[in-house]
Amino acid sequence: MNYKAPRGTHDIFGINALGLNVLEQKARQIFIKHGFEEVRTPIFEDASLFTRSIGEATDIVEKEMYIFEDRKGRKLALRPEGTASLVRAYIEHRLDVSFPSGKFFYSGEMFRYERPQAGRYRQFCQIGAEFYGSLSPSADAEIIMLACDVLSSIGIEKVNVHVNSLGCQKCRPLFRETLVKYFTSIDDLCQDCLRRLQTNPLRLLDCKIDSDKFINVPKMDDFLCDDCKEHFNLVQNLIRSVNCTYIVDPKLVRGLDYYTRTVFEIRSNALGAQDALAAGGRYDNLVKELGGQDTPVVGFALGSERVLMAAQHSGFFSTLNKNEKVFIAIADQDLISEAFAFSIKLIRNGLKGNNDISVFGPVDNKSLTAQLRFADKIGASKTIIFAKAELGEGKVLVKNMIDKTQNAVFIDQL
Ligand code: AMP
């Protein structure tokens, strides 16, 4: 049998793995500047944690979770997102009592049984941040700016920031009721819409199939209570004050149940159907619903693979791995130990003070011609050749692989 990576997963090599690392590193630096602290939570959790927090009637819980039983029959799930785990950890470690205004960030793999396509995978990486304990619109604005700053740190500047408010427990029920009446009056809804009308009517707003039928749809904006309205206006004033251009998008509802008030999504024109780079919002009831003290939270997550796809157009990848490649060759097989010792020294000390080099070789049992061919194949700029005659004088041959010139140089001078 020829094994293949499971559907919807992929192997990440070389420059792409480096890109992922650099993105995480840049995000980490930005989060730390904003006073956020890193948290690493397990990759699997009690399955019911996700059902309760994300919501029974959401796509993730209904059809996308990887659920399994362990040897003791416990029902566990691979995490489909980071928020539920972080809230669980926050409560479990009693931070809701001892450290209620914490700022945390995470990065790592998430798992969703979705239909794979470009930009949508079954295993993907997210980077996210969450600000606990603040009801202030400035926390929402800071989270939106954080997401934008991480994107711009790798050259992604042209994005569309969509914002909306979903109201609170006071004002959303009337909106929901009005929506149900409105949608019930529409014929020929798709199967998903018919189902969601019973369970999660807000989700009909972002249905891609039926959207043309929805004319004069009720807008949450008209139902927001005074507090929610003021909150939303302030969030907008704050992000405007730092020159963020955004669109108020009444259709933005997000796929997870826990959101209250602000929701946002950052989209890229450079991508196809899966154009959301980052998304988030406020969840003021989640900590309490999961058993903690009443603590508001606002957060976001970005999808690293999608962000890196958008970065293909931003010139980010051309800034990565500029190391000069140097190949160590041996003209005589019995010089392998001298060449090996030299290569380790070179890795440790660099070449004439230049530490940005990557060293390859030596390899034995290959002719010098084959070694030089290999050096060309990996894109080495120089090959350092160990040959008996030159080594006797304390020298090696340095071959410039671009113009193919070659000089004997004292090893000490390298
Ligand atoms: P969500 O957790 O659904 O709010 O998604 C946050 C971000 O994660 C999205 O904006 C995407 O960039 C990314 N994302 C979500 N689902 C997937 C997936 N199946 N494959 C790749 N990226 C994803």
Short mmCIF file of all heavy atoms in Angstrom, two decimals, residues 228-284:
data_model
loop_
_atom_site.label_atom_id
_atom_site.label_comp_id
_atom_site.label_asym_id
_atom_site.label_seq_id
_atom_site.Cartn_x
_atom_site.Cartn_y
_atom_site.Cartn_z
N CYS A 228 -25.56 48.60 23.50
CA CYS A 228 -24.85 47.92 22.40
C CYS A 228 -24.54 48.89 21.27
O CYS A 228 -23.48 48.82 20.65
CB CYS A 228 -25.68 46.75 21.87
SG CYS A 228 -25.67 45.32 22.97
N LYS A 229 -25.48 49.79 21.03
CA LYS A 229 -25.28 50.79 19.97
C LYS A 229 -24.08 51.67 20.31
O LYS A 229 -23.20 51.91 19.49
CB LYS A 229 -26.55 51.64 19.84
CG LYS A 229 -26.77 52.14 18.43
CD LYS A 229 -28.10 52.83 18.28
CE LYS A 229 -29.19 51.86 17.83
NZ LYS A 229 -30.52 52.42 17.82
N GLU A 230 -24.04 52.13 21.57
CA GLU A 230 -22.94 53.00 21.99
C GLU A 230 -21.61 52.26 21.90
O GLU A 230 -20.60 52.80 21.43
CB GLU A 230 -23.20 53.47 23.43
CG GLU A 230 -22.33 54.65 23.79
CD GLU A 230 -22.32 54.93 25.28
OE1 GLU A 230 -23.29 54.53 25.97
OE2 GLU A 230 -21.34 55.53 25.74
N HIS A 231 -21.64 51.00 22.35
CA HIS A 231 -20.42 50.19 22.31
C HIS A 231 -19.90 50.08 20.88
O HIS A 231 -18.72 50.31 20.60
CB HIS A 231 -20.72 48.79 22.88
CG HIS A 231 -19.51 47.92 23.00
ND1 HIS A 231 -18.78 47.80 24.15
CD2 HIS A 231 -18.89 47.15 22.08
CE1 HIS A 231 -17.77 46.98 23.94
NE2 HIS A 231 -17.81 46.57 22.69
N PHE A 232 -20.82 49.75 19.96
CA PHE A 232 -20.43 49.54 18.56
C PHE A 232 -19.90 50.84 17.95
O PHE A 232 -18.89 50.84 17.22
CB PHE A 232 -21.64 49.00 17.78
CG PHE A 232 -21.28 48.47 16.40
CD1 PHE A 232 -20.07 47.83 16.16
CD2 PHE A 232 -22.17 48.61 15.34
CE1 PHE A 232 -19.75 47.34 14.91
CE2 PHE A 232 -21.85 48.12 14.07
CZ PHE A 232 -20.65 47.49 13.85
N ASN A 233 -20.57 51.96 18.26
CA ASN A 233 -20.10 53.25 17.73
C ASN A 233 -18.70 53.57 18.23
O ASN A 233 -17.83 54.03 17.47
CB ASN A 233 -21.03 54.39 18.15
CG ASN A 233 -22.31 54.36 17.32
OD1 ASN A 233 -22.31 53.80 16.23
ND2 ASN A 233 -23.38 54.93 17.84
N LEU A 234 -18.46 53.29 19.52
CA LEU A 234 -17.14 53.58 20.08
C LEU A 234 -16.05 52.72 19.46
O LEU A 234 -14.95 53.20 19.17
CB LEU A 234 -17.17 53.38 21.60
CG LEU A 234 -17.62 54.62 22.37
CD1 LEU A 234 -17.89 54.28 23.83
CD2 LEU A 234 -16.53 55.70 22.28
N VAL A 235 -16.38 51.43 19.24
CA VAL A 235 -15.40 50.54 18.60
C VAL A 235 -15.02 51.15 17.24
O VAL A 235 -13.84 51.27 16.90
CB VAL A 235 -15.96 49.11 18.41
CG1 VAL A 235 -15.01 48.26 17.58
CG2 VAL A 235 -16.23 48.44 19.75
N GLN A 236 -16.03 51.58 16.50
CA GLN A 236 -15.76 52.14 15.17
C GLN A 236 -14.93 53.42 15.26
O GLN A 236 -14.00 53.63 14.48
CB GLN A 236 -17.07 52.42 14.45
CG GLN A 236 -17.82 51.14 14.08
CD GLN A 236 -19.13 51.44 13.39
OE1 GLN A 236 -19.16 52.08 12.35
NE2 GLN A 236 -20.22 51.01 13.99
N ASN A 237 -15.29 54.29 16.23
CA ASN A 237 -14.51 55.53 16.39
C ASN A 237 -13.04 55.20 16.66
O ASN A 237 -12.13 55.85 16.13
CB ASN A 237 -15.03 56.36 17.58
CG ASN A 237 -16.36 57.00 17.25
OD1 ASN A 237 -16.75 57.03 16.08
ND2 ASN A 237 -17.08 57.46 18.26
N LEU A 238 -12.83 54.20 17.52
CA LEU A 238 -11.45 53.87 17.91
C LEU A 238 -10.64 53.32 16.75
O LEU A 238 -9.49 53.68 16.56
CB LEU A 238 -11.46 52.87 19.08
CG LEU A 238 -11.91 53.46 20.42
CD1 LEU A 238 -12.19 52.36 21.44
CD2 LEU A 238 -10.85 54.42 20.95
N ILE A 239 -11.26 52.42 15.98
CA ILE A 239 -10.45 51.86 14.87
C ILE A 239 -10.25 52.90 13.76
O ILE A 239 -9.23 52.91 13.10
CB ILE A 239 -10.96 50.49 14.34
CG1 ILE A 239 -12.39 50.57 13.84
CG2 ILE A 239 -10.81 49.40 15.37
CD1 ILE A 239 -12.85 49.26 13.18
N ARG A 240 -11.23 53.81 13.63
CA ARG A 240 -11.05 54.91 12.66
C ARG A 240 -9.89 55.81 13.10
O ARG A 240 -9.12 56.28 12.28
CB ARG A 240 -12.32 55.75 12.59
CG ARG A 240 -13.20 55.42 11.38
CD ARG A 240 -14.13 56.55 11.03
NE ARG A 240 -14.88 57.06 12.17
CZ ARG A 240 -16.07 56.61 12.56
NH1 ARG A 240 -16.65 55.64 11.90
NH2 ARG A 240 -16.68 57.12 13.60
N SER A 241 -9.77 56.00 14.44
CA SER A 241 -8.75 56.91 14.94
C SER A 241 -7.33 56.39 14.67
O SER A 241 -6.37 57.14 14.76
CB SER A 241 -8.94 57.17 16.44
OG SER A 241 -8.50 56.03 17.16
N VAL A 242 -7.20 55.08 14.37
CA VAL A 242 -5.86 54.58 14.01
C VAL A 242 -5.82 54.21 12.51
O VAL A 242 -5.07 53.32 12.09
CB VAL A 242 -5.42 53.39 14.91
CG1 VAL A 242 -4.98 53.88 16.27
CG2 VAL A 242 -6.51 52.34 15.06
N ASN A 243 -6.66 54.93 11.77
CA ASN A 243 -6.67 54.83 10.30
C ASN A 243 -6.99 53.45 9.74
O ASN A 243 -6.45 53.05 8.72
CB ASN A 243 -5.32 55.27 9.72
CG ASN A 243 -5.06 56.72 10.00
OD1 ASN A 243 -6.01 57.51 10.06
ND2 ASN A 243 -3.81 57.07 10.23
N CYS A 244 -7.85 52.73 10.44
CA CYS A 244 -8.26 51.44 9.89
C CYS A 244 -9.52 51.67 9.05
O CYS A 244 -10.50 52.21 9.54
CB CYS A 244 -8.55 50.49 11.04
SG CYS A 244 -9.34 48.96 10.53
N THR A 245 -9.47 51.28 7.78
CA THR A 245 -10.70 51.39 6.97
C THR A 245 -11.46 50.08 7.13
O THR A 245 -10.87 49.00 7.11
CB THR A 245 -10.40 51.63 5.47
OG1 THR A 245 -9.12 51.13 5.20
CG2 THR A 245 -10.50 53.08 5.11
N TYR A 246 -12.77 50.20 7.25
CA TYR A 246 -13.57 49.01 7.53
C TYR A 246 -14.94 49.17 6.88
O TYR A 246 -15.32 50.25 6.44
CB TYR A 246 -13.73 48.82 9.05
CG TYR A 246 -14.48 49.96 9.70
CD1 TYR A 246 -15.87 49.89 9.88
CD2 TYR A 246 -13.83 51.12 10.09
CE1 TYR A 246 -16.57 50.95 10.44
CE2 TYR A 246 -14.53 52.18 10.64
CZ TYR A 246 -15.89 52.09 10.82
OH TYR A 246 -16.58 53.13 11.36
N ILE A 247 -15.68 48.07 6.84
CA ILE A 247 -17.02 48.07 6.27
C ILE A 247 -17.96 47.54 7.36
O ILE A 247 -17.66 46.50 7.96
CB ILE A 247 -17.10 47.08 5.07
CG1 ILE A 247 -16.00 47.38 4.06
CG2 ILE A 247 -18.48 47.08 4.43
CD1 ILE A 247 -15.60 46.18 3.22
N VAL A 248 -19.06 48.24 7.62
CA VAL A 248 -20.06 47.66 8.53
C VAL A 248 -20.87 46.68 7.69
O VAL A 248 -21.44 47.06 6.67
CB VAL A 248 -20.96 48.74 9.15
CG1 VAL A 248 -22.06 48.09 9.98
CG2 VAL A 248 -20.15 49.69 10.00
N ASP A 249 -20.86 45.41 8.09
CA ASP A 249 -21.46 44.36 7.27
C ASP A 249 -22.57 43.66 8.05
O ASP A 249 -22.31 42.77 8.87
CB ASP A 249 -20.34 43.37 6.89
CG ASP A 249 -20.82 42.22 6.05
OD1 ASP A 249 -22.05 42.11 5.83
OD2 ASP A 249 -19.97 41.42 5.61
N PRO A 250 -23.83 44.03 7.81
CA PRO A 250 -24.94 43.47 8.60
C PRO A 250 -25.10 41.97 8.40
O PRO A 250 -25.77 41.31 9.20
CB PRO A 250 -26.18 44.22 8.09
CG PRO A 250 -25.73 45.14 7.04
CD PRO A 250 -24.28 44.96 6.78
N LYS A 251 -24.48 41.43 7.33
CA LYS A 251 -24.61 39.98 7.08
C LYS A 251 -23.58 39.15 7.83
O LYS A 251 -23.60 37.92 7.80
CB LYS A 251 -24.46 39.69 5.59
CG LYS A 251 -25.68 40.10 4.79
CD LYS A 251 -25.57 39.54 3.41
CE LYS A 251 -26.91 39.63 2.69
NZ LYS A 251 -26.80 39.24 1.31
N LEU A 252 -22.65 39.84 8.49
CA LEU A 252 -21.59 39.09 9.18
C LEU A 252 -22.11 38.55 10.50
O LEU A 252 -22.43 39.31 11.42
CB LEU A 252 -20.39 40.02 9.43
CG LEU A 252 -19.18 39.37 10.10
CD1 LEU A 252 -18.54 38.35 9.17
CD2 LEU A 252 -18.16 40.42 10.49
N VAL A 253 -22.26 37.21 10.58
CA VAL A 253 -22.80 36.62 11.82
C VAL A 253 -21.83 35.63 12.47
O VAL A 253 -21.96 35.32 13.63
CB VAL A 253 -24.16 35.94 11.58
CG1 VAL A 253 -25.22 36.97 11.29
CG2 VAL A 253 -24.08 34.91 10.48
N ARG A 254 -20.88 35.09 11.69
CA ARG A 254 -19.91 34.12 12.20
C ARG A 254 -20.57 32.78 12.52
O ARG A 254 -21.74 32.72 12.85
CB ARG A 254 -19.15 34.63 13.43
CG ARG A 254 -18.58 36.00 13.31
CD ARG A 254 -17.32 36.06 12.47
NE ARG A 254 -16.34 35.12 12.95
CZ ARG A 254 -15.90 34.08 12.23
NH1 ARG A 254 -16.33 33.87 11.04
NH2 ARG A 254 -15.00 33.27 12.72
N GLY A 255 -19.77 31.73 12.43
CA GLY A 255 -20.33 30.39 12.55
C GLY A 255 -20.44 29.85 13.96
O GLY A 255 -20.91 28.74 14.16
N LEU A 256 -19.99 30.61 14.95
CA LEU A 256 -19.96 30.06 16.31
C LEU A 256 -20.97 30.81 17.17
O LEU A 256 -21.15 32.01 17.02
CB LEU A 256 -18.55 30.20 16.90
CG LEU A 256 -17.44 29.48 16.12
CD1 LEU A 256 -16.91 30.31 14.98
CD2 LEU A 256 -16.29 29.12 17.03
N ASP A 257 -21.60 30.06 18.07
CA ASP A 257 -22.72 30.63 18.83
C ASP A 257 -22.33 31.63 19.91
O ASP A 257 -23.13 32.40 20.37
CB ASP A 257 -23.45 29.49 19.57
CG ASP A 257 -24.62 29.00 18.75
OD1 ASP A 257 -24.77 29.49 17.61
OD2 ASP A 257 -25.37 28.15 19.25
N TYR A 258 -21.07 31.58 20.37
CA TYR A 258 -20.77 32.31 21.60
C TYR A 258 -20.60 33.81 21.46
O TYR A 258 -20.42 34.51 22.45
CB TYR A 258 -19.58 31.69 22.34
CG TYR A 258 -18.32 31.44 21.54
CD1 TYR A 258 -17.65 32.46 20.89
CD2 TYR A 258 -17.78 30.16 21.49
CE1 TYR A 258 -16.49 32.23 20.19
CE2 TYR A 258 -16.60 29.92 20.79
CZ TYR A 258 -15.96 30.95 20.14
OH TYR A 258 -14.80 30.71 19.47
N TYR A 259 -20.66 34.33 20.25
CA TYR A 259 -20.39 35.76 20.09
C TYR A 259 -21.50 36.66 20.63
O TYR A 259 -22.68 36.35 20.52
CB TYR A 259 -20.16 36.10 18.62
CG TYR A 259 -18.81 35.62 18.13
CD1 TYR A 259 -18.72 34.56 17.22
CD2 TYR A 259 -17.65 36.18 18.59
CE1 TYR A 259 -17.49 34.10 16.79
CE2 TYR A 259 -16.40 35.73 18.15
CZ TYR A 259 -16.34 34.69 17.26
OH TYR A 259 -15.12 34.24 16.83
N THR A 260 -21.10 37.78 21.22
CA THR A 260 -22.03 38.85 21.62
C THR A 260 -21.41 40.15 21.12
O THR A 260 -20.19 40.25 20.98
CB THR A 260 -22.13 38.95 23.16
OG1 THR A 260 -20.81 38.95 23.70
CG2 THR A 260 -22.92 37.81 23.76
N ARG A 261 -22.23 41.12 20.86
CA ARG A 261 -21.76 42.44 20.39
C ARG A 261 -20.82 42.33 19.17
O ARG A 261 -21.19 41.74 18.19
CB ARG A 261 -21.11 43.20 21.54
CG ARG A 261 -22.15 43.62 22.58
CD ARG A 261 -21.61 44.65 23.54
NE ARG A 261 -22.71 45.26 24.28
CZ ARG A 261 -22.56 46.02 25.35
NH1 ARG A 261 -21.35 46.28 25.81
NH2 ARG A 261 -23.61 46.54 25.95
N THR A 262 -19.60 42.83 19.31
CA THR A 262 -18.72 42.95 18.13
C THR A 262 -18.34 41.61 17.51
O THR A 262 -17.90 40.69 18.21
CB THR A 262 -17.40 43.64 18.55
OG1 THR A 262 -17.72 44.78 19.35
CG2 THR A 262 -16.58 44.05 17.35
N VAL A 263 -18.50 41.52 16.19
CA VAL A 263 -17.86 40.43 15.43
C VAL A 263 -17.11 41.08 14.28
O VAL A 263 -17.50 42.16 13.81
CB VAL A 263 -18.87 39.39 14.87
CG1 VAL A 263 -19.41 38.48 15.95
CG2 VAL A 263 -20.02 40.05 14.11
N PHE A 264 -16.03 40.44 13.85
CA PHE A 264 -15.32 41.01 12.69
C PHE A 264 -14.64 39.91 11.89
O PHE A 264 -14.43 38.79 12.39
CB PHE A 264 -14.31 42.08 13.13
CG PHE A 264 -13.10 41.53 13.85
CD1 PHE A 264 -11.93 41.24 13.16
CD2 PHE A 264 -13.12 41.30 15.21
CE1 PHE A 264 -10.80 40.74 13.81
CE2 PHE A 264 -12.01 40.80 15.88
CZ PHE A 264 -10.85 40.52 15.17
N GLU A 265 -14.36 40.23 10.66
CA GLU A 265 -13.67 39.29 9.78
C GLU A 265 -12.76 40.11 8.89
O GLU A 265 -13.14 41.19 8.43
CB GLU A 265 -14.71 38.54 8.95
CG GLU A 265 -14.20 37.24 8.38
CD GLU A 265 -15.34 36.31 7.97
OE1 GLU A 265 -15.86 35.56 8.82
OE2 GLU A 265 -15.70 36.37 6.78
N ILE A 266 -11.56 39.60 8.65
CA ILE A 266 -10.63 40.31 7.75
C ILE A 266 -10.45 39.45 6.51
O ILE A 266 -10.06 38.28 6.62
CB ILE A 266 -9.29 40.58 8.45
CG1 ILE A 266 -9.55 41.39 9.74
CG2 ILE A 266 -8.35 41.33 7.52
CD1 ILE A 266 -8.31 41.70 10.54
N ARG A 267 -10.80 39.99 5.37
CA ARG A 267 -10.78 39.22 4.13
C ARG A 267 -9.74 39.76 3.16
O ARG A 267 -9.37 40.93 3.23
CB ARG A 267 -12.16 39.25 3.46
CG ARG A 267 -13.22 38.64 4.35
CD ARG A 267 -14.59 38.70 3.71
NE ARG A 267 -15.59 38.34 4.71
CZ ARG A 267 -16.87 38.65 4.63
NH1 ARG A 267 -17.33 39.32 3.60
NH2 ARG A 267 -17.70 38.28 5.59
N SER A 268 -9.32 38.88 2.24
CA SER A 268 -8.31 39.29 1.26
C SER A 268 -8.86 39.11 -0.14
O SER A 268 -9.49 38.09 -0.44
CB SER A 268 -7.08 38.40 1.44
OG SER A 268 -6.28 38.45 0.29
N ASN A 269 -8.61 40.08 -1.01
CA ASN A 269 -9.02 39.94 -2.41
C ASN A 269 -8.10 38.98 -3.16
O ASN A 269 -8.43 38.53 -4.24
CB ASN A 269 -8.97 41.29 -3.14
CG ASN A 269 -10.07 42.20 -2.64
OD1 ASN A 269 -11.10 41.71 -2.16
ND2 ASN A 269 -9.86 43.50 -2.74
N ALA A 270 -6.93 38.69 -2.57
CA ALA A 270 -5.95 37.86 -3.27
C ALA A 270 -6.34 36.38 -3.24
O ALA A 270 -5.77 35.57 -3.94
CB ALA A 270 -4.58 38.04 -2.63
N LEU A 271 -7.33 36.02 -2.42
CA LEU A 271 -7.70 34.60 -2.31
C LEU A 271 -9.01 34.33 -3.03
O LEU A 271 -9.73 35.25 -3.41
CB LEU A 271 -7.83 34.22 -0.83
CG LEU A 271 -6.58 34.40 0.03
CD1 LEU A 271 -6.83 33.93 1.44
CD2 LEU A 271 -5.39 33.65 -0.57
N GLY A 272 -9.33 33.05 -3.19
CA GLY A 272 -10.57 32.67 -3.87
C GLY A 272 -11.74 32.65 -2.89
O GLY A 272 -11.91 33.57 -2.08
N ALA A 273 -12.54 31.57 -2.97
CA ALA A 273 -13.76 31.49 -2.17
C ALA A 273 -13.47 31.56 -0.67
O ALA A 273 -14.20 32.19 0.09
CB ALA A 273 -14.48 30.18 -2.47
N GLN A 274 -12.38 30.93 -0.24
CA GLN A 274 -12.03 30.94 1.19
C GLN A 274 -11.16 32.17 1.45
O GLN A 274 -9.94 32.09 1.52
CB GLN A 274 -11.29 29.65 1.58
CG GLN A 274 -12.06 28.38 1.30
CD GLN A 274 -13.41 28.37 2.01
OE1 GLN A 274 -13.53 28.76 3.15
NE2 GLN A 274 -14.44 27.94 1.30
N ASP A 275 -11.82 33.33 1.56
CA ASP A 275 -11.04 34.57 1.58
C ASP A 275 -10.86 35.17 2.98
O ASP A 275 -10.25 36.22 3.12
CB ASP A 275 -11.69 35.61 0.64
CG ASP A 275 -13.10 35.97 1.07
OD1 ASP A 275 -13.64 35.32 2.00
OD2 ASP A 275 -13.68 36.90 0.47
N ALA A 276 -11.40 34.50 4.02
CA ALA A 276 -11.28 35.06 5.38
C ALA A 276 -9.91 34.72 5.95
O ALA A 276 -9.56 33.54 6.11
CB ALA A 276 -12.38 34.51 6.28
N LEU A 277 -9.13 35.75 6.25
CA LEU A 277 -7.79 35.52 6.82
C LEU A 277 -7.86 35.40 8.34
O LEU A 277 -7.14 34.63 8.96
CB LEU A 277 -6.88 36.71 6.49
CG LEU A 277 -6.60 36.99 5.02
CD1 LEU A 277 -5.78 38.25 4.89
CD2 LEU A 277 -5.86 35.82 4.41
N ALA A 278 -8.73 36.21 8.94
CA ALA A 278 -8.81 36.25 10.40
C ALA A 278 -10.23 36.63 10.80
O ALA A 278 -10.94 37.27 10.02
CB ALA A 278 -7.83 37.30 10.94
N ALA A 279 -10.61 36.20 11.99
CA ALA A 279 -11.97 36.50 12.42
C ALA A 279 -12.03 36.47 13.94
O ALA A 279 -11.21 35.81 14.59
CB ALA A 279 -12.93 35.46 11.85
N GLY A 280 -12.99 37.19 14.46
CA GLY A 280 -13.12 37.16 15.92
C GLY A 280 -14.27 38.00 16.40
O GLY A 280 -15.16 38.36 15.63
N GLY A 281 -14.22 38.34 17.65
CA GLY A 281 -15.29 39.13 18.24
C GLY A 281 -15.31 38.99 19.74
O GLY A 281 -14.37 38.48 20.36
N ARG A 282 -16.44 39.42 20.30
CA ARG A 282 -16.58 39.48 21.76
C ARG A 282 -17.44 38.32 22.23
O ARG A 282 -18.39 37.93 21.54
CB ARG A 282 -17.24 40.82 22.08
CG ARG A 282 -17.44 41.13 23.52
CD ARG A 282 -17.81 42.59 23.70
NE ARG A 282 -16.63 43.42 23.89
CZ ARG A 282 -15.87 43.41 24.99
NH1 ARG A 282 -16.16 42.61 26.01
NH2 ARG A 282 -14.83 44.20 25.10
N TYR A 283 -17.08 37.71 23.37
CA TYR A 283 -17.93 36.67 23.96
C TYR A 283 -18.02 36.93 25.44
O TYR A 283 -17.19 36.47 26.22
CB TYR A 283 -17.46 35.24 23.67
CG TYR A 283 -16.06 35.10 23.17
CD1 TYR A 283 -15.04 34.75 24.04
CD2 TYR A 283 -15.74 35.34 21.83
CE1 TYR A 283 -13.74 34.63 23.60
CE2 TYR A 283 -14.45 35.23 21.39
CZ TYR A 283 -13.46 34.88 22.27
OH TYR A 283 -12.17 34.79 21.83
N ASP A 284 -19.03 37.69 25.81
CA ASP A 284 -19.13 38.14 27.19
C ASP A 284 -19.74 37.12 28.13
O ASP A 284 -19.65 37.28 29.34
CB ASP A 284 -19.94 39.45 27.23
CG ASP A 284 -19.13 40.61 26.67
OD1 ASP A 284 -17.89 40.46 26.57
OD2 ASP A 284 -19.72 41.64 26.32
#
